[in-house]
Each structure stands twice: as C-alpha cells, then as structure tokens.
Amino acid sequence: MNYKNLIKEFLSYFGGDDKGIRIFTSPGRVNLIGEHTDYSGGYVFPAALTLATTVVARPRDDRKIRLIATDLKEMVEADLDNLETYKDLKWGNYQLGVADELQKAGYNIIGCDLMYEDKVPLGSGLSSSAAIEVATAIALVSLGDPEYGRSKEIDKIEMAKISQIAEHNYVGVKCGIMDQFASAMGKKDHAIFLNCRDLSYELVPIRLSGYSLIIGNTNKKRSLGEGKYNERRAECEQGFAILKKEMPEISYLGEITVWNFENKKHLIEDDVILKRVQHVVYENHRVLESVEALKQGDLNRFGQLMNASHDSLRDLYEVTGKELDTMVNEARKVDGVLGARMTGAGFGGCTVSLVRNDMVDEFIERVGKAYREQIGYDASFYISEIGDGGRELKFKEV
Ligand code: GLA
C-alpha cells in the first residue's frame, strides 16, 4: 500500500496540507468456527485478516466531521453536537454511530476530516462493517486525545464494545461481539478463541503445515439489516427462556452443555426453536474441539468439524442458501480439501475451506467454474492471510 498516494488523495478532497494527518487501520475477519454463537454467550474462533479499512484522519478546528471514501466520492458532513439526526444516511452511519456512542461513553471527540479506503469486500461476511467501526473508533479517540498512541494505550476491547453498540443503534443489527472484537484484537498468524460470555480470550497460533485457508466469496450480497439475523437472535432468546425455567442457574444459552441439552430438549415444543438451540449447543462444543484439534495439529479433525458446522448452519440454523451450499459442495469434491463451511452471518457472503497447498490453484479453478455454471455469475477467491488488529499506522509503516 502506498500511503503517500492515500495522503495525496485525502488532500485532493479536503485541501490544506499534511500537517496533523494520522493514519489508522482495522481489519476484517474470517471466523474459523463458532457461527451464530456469540450473541448467545458462546465460544467463537475468528482470525483477523490482512484485508482492512484504512482511515486517513486530520483534526479540524470546528465541531464538524466530514467523511469520504475512496470508492464513493460523495462527501458526508455532520455536526458533532447533533449526531442523533444522522441515523438514516445511505453511507456514513457506521462512522457517525461510533462517534455518537464514543461521546456518550465520555470520550472527547473533536471535529475532523476522515477518508476511508475499504479493502474488505463490502457485505461479504468478512466484517467490513466492524473494520470501519473499529478503525473509526481508534481514529476518533486518538485524535481527541493525542496522548493515545504515545504515552497512553487505547483500550481496544472497549473500542470493540462501543463499535458493537453503534451497530445495534445505528445500523439496527443486533450483532454479537465477535466481529468487532476480532477486528480490534487480532494478531498476525493467530486465531482468537473467545468466550463471548465474559470476553476472556486466548490467542492460538495457526500453523497449517502444508494447508491454506481459502476464502470463497459467493458475491451474493446480503444485508443483515434485512431482518433474518435479528430473527435468529430472537429465536435463540426464546429457546433460552424455555430452558432457563428448568435450569435457573444458567445465564446464557452458550453455557448449556450437550449433555444438559439432550436431557432438557423435550421442554422445547416448537420445532424451529429446537433446531436453532441444537445448533448453538453443538456448534459451541465444536469450537472447543476445534481449538484442541488445531493445538495438536490435527487438521483432519478440524476439517471434519468445519463440515459439521456448515451442515448444521444449513439444516438447523437455516442461514446458508443456494450460493453458499453450492460453493461448499463443490469445494468438498476437490482432492486435498479437508473441510469447507460458510463463515460469518450467512445468507450469502463467504465460505472458508482448508485446502492442501498443491491443490489451491486447481481448487480455485474447479470451484469457480462449477459455481459459475450453477449460479450464473462469478465467485472470487482469496488466500486468507491472518493479520494484526486495529491500530495506528506508525510513521515507519506510512
Ligand atoms: C455476524 C455478526 C456476528 C456473528 C456472526 C455469526 O458477523 O456481526 O456478531 O453473530 O454474524 O456468527
């Protein structure tokens, strides 16, 4: 990335000179396993990508925020003392939502010009929104208190939490904490084994000797705001309320073990609710098994768990759809593929497959061709590189 060009582009929109300019970045994520468990207080196992949102930022001396994106040249201007009024913007509500929630949390936010370069494919299930939110949070907090990044450290977990609240209140998606946490806290070549009940986490080195994680983008755009996501969340809450009556000691669905579930599942009479809960309980268990398998270098086992995860998301949680299922089915037919599953919220978006290195080219060709034949348009593929979480790009990197 040529940051000099980014700064040049910034100046072409906002004028002035490069005095006071700082650059921040935060990545998208791929979730290895643990899907639709976070908002039930379960386990997840995501990794930050090297694909990221980068923000070029410069303070202003009034109370305005101006936003622009390199791929969307319409400028949005907002008044920091009136942020509640910008909830219905076509673009910019993620950023302004974060600014508003930061102010409500007591952070000093100052006027600034911000230019976004988004490298996470939008609406693809790789957390493009969390990348924007967390990059914005780190940028705004750092500009508001210049000591951040110097003598003071930003509390990145808090940035993740505030970003999540902004997504609830400004975008209307009642998302869990996984995406924002992974974007803020990722570490190169590590996945994050996160307990969403209390945000305790462990960074697990990802060594895939001889294998790669290949992301396949179905290029089926989806918007979580369309309601299915919140509907699933509500179904889990219903299931939890039923089980809690007989297990008053539990505070989250994610605490229920497979054994407890099997003993109590007769309490849930509604078939749909039962399927949703069964997914969460077993998926949660698959995360624990996956972490162990990867620690022991047992890629075969991890691959089986990936497959089981997808099948459960297809049959029990019902969030896959034709495009994701086609891509996963075709992926599994290729030699040297140990497992394939959807990643993220589903309803379109991306898959992740564990592919032997010597088969990567063939994998992309064969799955790409079959996908085009069956779906009618092209998929895209990325070899996923696991990168660091949200941060300011220091002079050296710039
Ligand atoms: C989206 C949400 C996350 C999580 C996943 C599904 O990415 O933002 O909180 O619920 O879907 O695992």
Side-chain angles (χ1 to χ4, degrees):
M1 165 49 51
N2 185 341
Y3 294 106
K4 278 204 182 116
N5 283 346
L6 270 188
I7 292 175
K8 239 199 224 159
E9 190 169 348
F10 176 95
L11 296 177
S12 78
Y13 299 127
F14 294 118
D17 57 33
D18 61 7
K19 197 164 156 273
I21 283 186
R22 293 166 75 176
I23 302 185
F24 304 87
T25 190
S26 208
R29 62 99 190 91
V30 57
N31 187 21
L32 302 184
I33 199 158
E35 216 65 82
H36 286 282
T37 49
D38 61 350
Y39 48 81
S40 288
Y43 300 110
V44 292
F45 197 30
L49 296 169
T50 48
L51 297 168
T53 283
T54 300
V55 191
V56 183
R58 187 180 60 189
R60 297 172 55 88
D61 48 20
D62 56 16
R63 298 278 297 158
K64 276 188 194 139
I65 288 196
R66 291 194 297 172
L67 307 167
I68 202 152
T70 53
D71 58 348
L72 194 101
K73 314 226 165 197
E74 211 175 299
M75 196 179 297
V76 169
E77 188 176 305
D79 176 356
L80 269 178
D81 298 316
N82 226 341
L83 286 172
E84 288 280 352
T85 53
Y86 303 101
K87 285 197 170 166
D88 296 324
L89 294 176
K90 258 203 326 258
W91 183 80
N93 50 348
Y94 290 90
Q95 291 89 333
L96 298 176
V98 168
D100 193 20
E101 297 300 342
L102 283 170
Q103 290 197 136
K104 287 185 182 146
Y107 285 92
N108 177 42
I109 302 303
I110 60 169
C112 54
D113 290 332
L114 304 171
M115 183 186 84
Y116 287 80
E117 186 197 49
D118 297 312
K119 285 285 169 73
V120 190
L122 293 177
S124 64
L126 300 178
S127 293
S128 49
S129 47
I132 295 174
E133 289 153 2
V134 176
T136 304
I138 295 175
L140 291 177
V141 167
S142 304
L143 293 188
D145 182 346
E147 283 312 306
Y148 282 116
R150 297 194 178 114
S151 55
K152 225 166 159 185
E153 269 210 28
I154 290 192
D155 180 344
K156 290 201 200 153
I157 296 185
E158 189 162 292
M159 295 303 103
K161 287 186 190 163
I162 289 175
S163 297
Q164 180 198 19
I165 297 171
E167 180 134 351
H168 287 189
N169 293 344
Y170 273 74
V171 189
V173 178
K174 301 280 175 214
C175 64
I177 189 68
M178 170 170 73
D179 301 352
Q180 290 79 8
F181 195 97
S183 184
M185 299 296 289
K187 182 161 185 242
K188 188 172 164 33
D189 298 330
H190 289 71
I192 308 173
F193 170 38
L194 172 66
N195 181 341
C196 299
R197 277 194 286 291
D198 56 10
L199 300 190
S200 57
Y201 69 98
E202 181 187 342
L203 293 169
V204 180
I206 296 298
R207 292 187 213 93
L208 302 174
S209 44
Y211 283 80
S212 297
L213 289 167
I214 307 295
I215 295 174
N217 188 347
T218 62
N219 287 324
K220 165 147 196 258
K221 294 269 185 282
R222 46 113 192 103
S223 150
L224 302 188
E226 278 160 16
K228 290 271 181 231
Y229 183 92
N230 291 348
E231 186 184 294
R232 291 295 179 283
R233 182 172 182 148
E235 287 162 349
C236 287
E237 281 162 9
Q238 267 175 269
F240 172 67
I242 296 169
L243 293 175
K244 188 167 169 72
K245 279 193 211 138
E246 287 237 352
M247 290 189 268
E249 70 287 0
I250 58 166
S251 314
Y252 296 95
L253 197 52
E255 279 176 70
I256 297 175
T257 59
V258 168
W259 191 85
N260 272 339
F261 169 74
E262 289 300 335
N263 280 310
K264 303 283 182 194
K265 66 181 183 193
H266 60 274
L267 298 171
I268 305 177
E269 283 164 15
D270 183 313
D271 279 351
V272 172
I273 305 290
L274 182 62
K275 284 200 282 186
R276 308 300 189 239
V277 172
Q278 186 177 337
H279 165 77
V280 173
V281 170
Y282 279 84
E283 180 76 355
N284 227 5
H285 190 68
R286 280 189 285 271
V287 178
L288 300 177
E289 280 195 77
S290 297
V291 171
E292 271 323 297
L294 282 179
K295 282 183 180 169
Q296 286 162 18
D298 188 348
L299 296 185
N300 281 310
R301 180 70 191 131
F302 177 53
Q304 289 163 357
L305 292 161
M306 290 173 83
N307 287 342
S309 166
H310 183 87
D311 296 352
S312 172
L313 289 156
R314 181 191 62 214
D315 301 334
L316 300 178
Y317 220 68
E318 298 178 286
V319 291
T320 56
K322 192 166 92 195
E323 296 79 5
L324 287 166
D325 289 335
T326 302
M327 190 176 271
V328 161
N329 288 342
E330 293 304 324
R332 290 180 187 170
K333 289 182 193 162
V334 179
D335 254 6
V337 172
L338 297 183
R341 60 181 293 273
M342 56 155 269
T343 185
F347 316 107
C350 285
T351 65
V352 56
S353 306
L354 186 57
V355 185
R356 208 173 62 221
N357 285 343
D358 63 324
M359 290 300 287
V360 168
D361 290 342
E362 190 170 332
F363 173 89
I364 293 175
E365 198 191 308
R366 278 181 49 191
V367 178
K369 182 162 176 279
Y371 185 83
R372 186 169 47 250
E373 278 165 12
Q374 292 170 57
I375 302 296
Y377 52 83
D378 283 329
S380 323
F381 296 90
Y382 326 98
I383 299 178
S384 85
E385 286 174 43
I386 302 182
D388 284 319
R391 64 201 184 277
E392 179 166 7
L393 293 171
K394 295 293 177 198
F395 190 71
K396 255 198 326 223
E397 284 179 85
V398 176

